[in-house]
């Protein structure tokens, strides 16, 4: 949104045709990042994320998690993905 905050939001809605029971599933993910330091090879930020729901193959239980933390990302070797 600004140089002080990054926002990611995803809401996926699945309609399943293989089963007559519980045809629909929903998965929601949201993350807010507050960058602290950005240089040519390293960045640091505080983050908060929330996710809830279920994703394919739907054989495992759904997730309901809340995370808060400090993230360091580095590209010291200059490798481009």
């Amino acid at each position: 949104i600004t140089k002080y905050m990054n926002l990611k939001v995803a809401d996926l809605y699945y309609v399943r045709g293989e089963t007559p029971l519980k045809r629909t599933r929903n998965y929601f993910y949201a993350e807010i990042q507050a960058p602290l330091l950005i240089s040519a090879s390293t960045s640091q930020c505080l983050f908060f994320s929330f996710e809830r729901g279920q994703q394919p193959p739907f054989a495992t239980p759904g997730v309901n998690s809340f995370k808060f933390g400090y993230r360091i990302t580095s590209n010291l070797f200059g490798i481009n993905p």
Side-chain angles (χ1 to χ4, degrees), residues 2-80:
T2 67
K3 66 180 183 176
Y4 302 107
M5 182 174 67
N6 299 326
L7 177 65
K8 296 178 190 178
V9 176
D11 190 13
L12 302 171
Y13 187 75
Y14 298 99
V15 178
R16 302 172 57 202
E18 72 271 11
T19 179
L21 300 173
K22 296 184 180 179
R23 284 194 184 269
T24 60
R25 301 277 194 223
N26 191 37
Y27 176 75
F28 177 77
Y29 178 80
E31 181 175 325
I32 297 173
Q33 295 180 358
L36 300 174
L37 174 69
I38 298 173
S39 68
S41 63
T42 305
S43 66
Q44 302 173 25
C45 72
L46 292 175
F47 73 91
F48 159 79
S49 70
F50 173 75
E51 61 183 313
R52 180 181 179 119
Q54 201 171 13
Q55 287 188 304
F58 304 113
T60 58
V63 66
N64 188 13
S65 72
F66 172 80
K67 297 179 228 173
F68 181 75
Y70 177 75
R71 183 177 293 148
I72 299 173
T73 307
S74 178
N75 189 8
L76 294 176
F77 300 110
I79 300 171
N80 292 328

